[in-house]
Amino acid sequence: MSVDDKTVRRVAKLARIKVEEKDVPRLAAELNVILAFVEQLNEVNVDGIAPLTSVVAAEMKKRKDVVTDGHYAKAIVANTQSEDQFFIVPRVVE
Amino acid sequence: MSLTNFTIAEASAKLRAKEFSALELTEAYLKAIENARSLNAYIVTTPEKARDMAKVSDAKLAKGQGGALEGIPLGIKDLFATKGVHTQACSHILDGFKPGYESTVTQNLWDAGAVMLGKLNMDEFAMGSSNETSCYGPVSNPWRRKNSNTSLVPGGSSGGSASAVAAHLCAAATATDTGGSIRQPAAFTGTVGIKPTYGRVSRWGTVAFASSLDQAGPIARDVRDAAIMLKAMASVDPKDTTSINLPIPDYEAAIGKSIKGLRVGIPKEYRPSGLSSEINALWDKGAKWLKEQGAEIVEISLPHTKYALPAYYIVAPAEASSNLARYDGVRYGLRIAGDDLIDTYEKTRAAGFGREVQRRVLVGTYVLSAGYYDAYYVKAQKVRTLIKRDFDDAWNKVDVVLTPATPSPAFAPGEITDPVEMYLNDIFTVTVNMAGLPGIAVPAGLSESGLPLGLQLIGKPFDEETLFRTAYAIEQAAGRFTAPQWW
């Protein structure tokens, strides 16, 4: 599978990264090198093999559905452009 | 002799014997850091905080109290959230970010009495093998080639951690390892680095790169200090669902125990045809040392070794693209205003992420995109099962596996520009992450060019004790290596 310029633009859009038109061919080339490298996996027969979901067998931890933390709204918004403990974000709805 | 020359074990004994105070020790490190600005190992220092913490330690030590790391000054990789202190994963996208919380790992260290000196440089979001992708610029390795003034990379992604430990700018450092980011820089700088079993150390409060691979561990000056550090860092954490509920052994107690009868596996697949004679010889020497101390050397096969790196370069970017989706310029960090919300996201991420991070997010987005998920991600996860199975089979025959840590000694910045060639630095370390196993890098000698070379030991899940015991046996035979000071 090979990546063309159109695919780079589509993937960049999905990844929400602005890619300048002049950088598209370079990125396509770089992605193709990496994808060619991972193509080696085609040699491996994985019939009947389950994907690895956990590297160590362990039962999923469960916790009680209760409030254990909170009441520090100021700390939550400390890194944002906030007013009155709200997030101020760009306009989302026109 | 400077106070910064003591290992953790030595400094702890001297602090308790009141030969010097924690504040004096901290001041010595702060001065050493000031004198080593040219290495660019620290991106932020916290001298006031360090002095305050040292004073608290001195008060405890005066009363004969204190934890396992009481008064010991440490450097912290910029990937760990430290409350109220710069935490940016060395990325522009987190400009100005100061978390309102402390990572479990660093909290464990402070609870043990350690002193924070500052935050250490690293590859952006831990993506790199040379520390060249940091938004704060590259780190210099304290080691240089014989008769050369050329600056060399300290490895990565924990390049600042390795450089700082090797240059005695902290007693030890925290680091993280997703594909080799603790062990490769440790090997490049003549330090000891251990990536514990996945689930041994909490990931809570550590900036995520690839969640199924990331694991924190220490970089230290010798094997004993690495054992002391890991015990303090490890915990069973209800905040991390992948933290495993097993007691934490006294790793230091494993040091010095006999390796008589220990079965050491030598995997034939780790000897690719292009491997340098220097690395081959180092590996043979390591096996010989262990044999001389009573271990049994067993040739083993790990047939899927060559597929670990390609599978890694699907799994890691896929998980990274998902984890890094949170950096959108809305709630914190950098924001570049655009024409609308999508434009703001796109401009922010284009300006905030460096080239390597963008490349990996794009690869990850591609392999997870509609129609490709099974062909890439699911396939890679199946290959991971095979890699893990190779090791499961090996554990029937051996107790520990010995391999080289890296295919070469440290290189110069800019020397490797091809991404895939850079990725090959992790060829011996990445299998360990794919299988979730513990791995330790221990210095074993110097190259012909005078640079440190490391060996790697791979253990059974949660058998870090055997790694410390065996690594110590290598350290006893090889000696320790300290970079001559030029900075």
Side-chain angles (χ1 to χ4, degrees):
Chain A
M1 282 174 262
S2 168
V3 172
D4 55 16
D5 289 2
K6 200 176 137 212
T7 310
V8 170
R9 285 186 210 103
R10 184 175 62 87
V11 170
K13 196 82 197 163
L14 285 171
R16 297 284 186 261
I17 296 176
K18 185 163 287 295
V19 168
E20 299 297 333
E21 203 45 45
K22 64 173 172 46
D23 293 328
V24 170
R26 171 181 64 82
L27 279 167
E30 288 177 358
L31 260 49
N32 278 323
V33 169
I34 296 166
L35 292 171
F37 177 64
V38 305
E39 290 298 315
Q40 290 176 63
L41 294 188
N42 291 340
E43 300 165 17
V44 189
N45 181 0
V46 291
D47 291 348
I49 304 295
L52 189 79
T53 48
S54 167
V55 287
V56 275
E59 204 169 313
M60 176 66 103
K61 284 190 222 176
K62 297 170 191 76
R63 57 177 166 79
K64 290 209 172 85
D65 186 16
V66 291
V67 177
T68 56
D69 207 359
H71 303 293
Y72 39 76
K74 266 198 180 135
I76 301 283
V77 296
N79 281 287
T80 192
Q81 302 163 26
S82 73
E83 258 173 47
D84 299 332
Q85 301 182 10
F86 288 104
F87 289 98
I88 307 292
V89 301
R91 180 195 292 266
V92 181
V93 183
E94 295 298 330
Chain B
M1 181 173 167
S2 168
L3 298 185
T4 59
N5 287 336
F6 296 119
T7 63
I8 292 177
E10 290 163 352
S12 286
K14 288 174 189 297
L15 282 169
R16 288 188 195 277
K18 315 265 188 315
E19 287 184 34
F20 47 80
S21 69
L23 188 59
E24 285 168 328
L25 184 61
T26 294
E27 293 291 356
Y29 275 108
L30 291 172
K31 196 171 154 224
I33 294 168
E34 279 314 310
N35 292 337
R37 286 283 168 209
S38 59
L39 295 178
N40 203 25
Y42 280 86
I43 49 166
V44 168
T45 51
T46 52
E48 289 316 308
K49 195 177 172 75
R51 289 184 185 107
D52 289 346
M53 291 172 101
K55 284 175 195 162
V56 172
S57 288
D58 277 331
K60 284 189 184 161
L61 288 163
K63 285 188 265 178
Q65 299 167 352
L69 291 169
E70 200 63 55
I72 301 296
L74 302 178
I76 303 299
K77 188 177 183 180
D78 199 33
L79 208 62
F80 295 88
T82 42
K83 192 174 178 177
V85 176
H86 177 109
T87 300
Q88 284 190 213
C90 286
S91 178
H92 274 312
I93 204 134
L94 276 165
D95 272 354
F97 185 69
K98 286 182 180 161
Y101 49 90
E102 191 77 29
S103 79
T104 297
V105 165
T106 47
Q107 189 60 55
N108 289 345
L109 293 171
W110 314 143
D111 290 347
V115 169
M116 176 160 82
L117 293 167
K119 300 301 282 285
L120 294 163
N121 208 334
M122 55 180 282
D123 278 301
E124 184 182 6
F125 283 107
M127 297 180 194
S129 304
S130 64
N131 215 113
E132 289 170 287
T133 73
S134 165
C135 80
Y136 298 102
V139 174
S140 287
N141 192 327
W143 288 87
R144 287 171 164 180
R145 292 182 187 119
K146 260 187 295 196
N147 309 319
S148 162
N149 288 333
T150 306
S151 174
L152 300 176
V153 304
S157 67
S158 310
S161 304
S163 176
V165 173
H168 296 184
L169 308 182
C170 53
T174 64
T176 60
D177 190 315
T178 303
S181 281
I182 289 175
R183 293 157 288 156
Q184 183 253 18
F188 275 15
T189 55
T191 55
V192 176
I194 180 165
K195 182 205 89 76
T197 312
Y198 185 83
R200 177 71 293 176
V201 173
S202 170
R203 291 183 297 111
W204 195 84
T206 311
V207 176
F209 163 13
S211 302
S212 74
L213 302 161
D214 296 344
Q215 191 64 195
I219 292 181
R221 283 183 216 172
D222 66 8
V223 176
R224 183 179 298 277
D225 278 8
I228 295 169
M229 278 291 288
L230 181 59
K231 182 162 191 329
M233 290 170 73
S235 61
V236 180
D237 187 3
K239 288 174 175 166
D240 176 0
T241 50
T242 61
S243 149
I244 301 290
N245 190 7
L246 280 175
I248 296 140
D250 179 5
Y251 297 122
E252 200 185 349
I255 286 172
K257 283 196 182 156
S258 165
I259 59 160
K260 216 173 165 74
L262 186 80
R263 297 169 304 166
V264 179
I266 305 287
K268 60 178 186 203
E269 289 82 4
Y270 281 61
R271 218 182 278 274
S273 54
L275 188 64
S276 80
S277 56
E278 193 167 72
I279 301 289
N280 266 314
L282 182 88
W283 193 11
D284 292 342
K285 198 161 67 175
K288 187 173 142 265
W289 286 332
L290 296 177
K291 201 175 169 185
E292 281 166 3
Q293 294 180 57
E296 183 195 339
I297 306 299
V298 184
E299 182 163 308
I300 57 164
S301 174
L302 299 167
H304 295 91
T305 298
K306 74 174 273 209
Y307 302 111
L309 203 56
Y312 174 85
Y313 275 95
I314 292 171
V315 174
E319 295 184 9
S321 75
S322 169
N323 273 325
L324 271 57
R326 75 190 67 177
Y327 304 108
D328 56 8
V330 172
R331 287 148 303 155
Y332 49 80
L334 182 74
R335 183 192 296 171
I336 307 289
D339 300 334
D340 54 30
L341 190 61
I342 300 280
D343 196 41
T344 300
Y345 292 154
E346 291 184 345
K347 280 185 172 147
T348 300
R349 289 163 65 82
F353 291 143
R355 209 156 142 172
E356 180 63 24
V357 172
Q358 290 193 26
R359 187 153 51 213
R360 294 202 200 188
V361 168
L362 292 176
V363 169
T365 305
Y366 178 76
V367 299
L368 290 178
S369 64
Y372 294 121
Y373 179 76
D374 285 334
Y376 285 110
Y377 191 73
V378 175
K379 172 102 191 217
Q381 290 291 65
K382 287 180 178 175
V383 171
R384 255 181 110 172
T385 299
L386 293 171
I387 293 164
K388 187 172 179 292
R389 200 179 277 180
D390 285 354
F391 279 103
D392 290 343
D393 291 343
W395 302 135
N396 293 323
K397 302 184 196 99
V398 298
D399 305 305
V400 69
V401 171
L402 177 72
T403 77
T406 58
S408 75
F411 47 88
E415 206 166 289
I416 300 181
T417 50
D418 174 45
V420 172
E421 197 188 336
M422 188 66 95
Y423 298 169
L424 288 171
N425 255 284
D426 291 336
I427 190 155
F428 298 134
T429 49
V430 77
T431 48
V432 173
N433 303 76
M434 295 305 266
L437 300 171
I440 191 167
V442 58
L446 296 179
S447 69
E448 282 159 32
S449 53
L451 297 175
L453 294 172
L455 288 171
Q456 174 180 238
L457 292 157
I458 305 169
K460 296 175 191 171
F462 295 98
D463 191 16
E464 282 82 2
E465 286 164 289
T466 298
L467 294 189
F468 285 121
R469 178 160 61 109
T470 317
Y472 185 72
I474 290 175
E475 184 177 69
Q476 288 299 102
R480 284 174 50 200
F481 305 90
T482 308
Q485 189 172 340
W486 52 263
W487 55 91

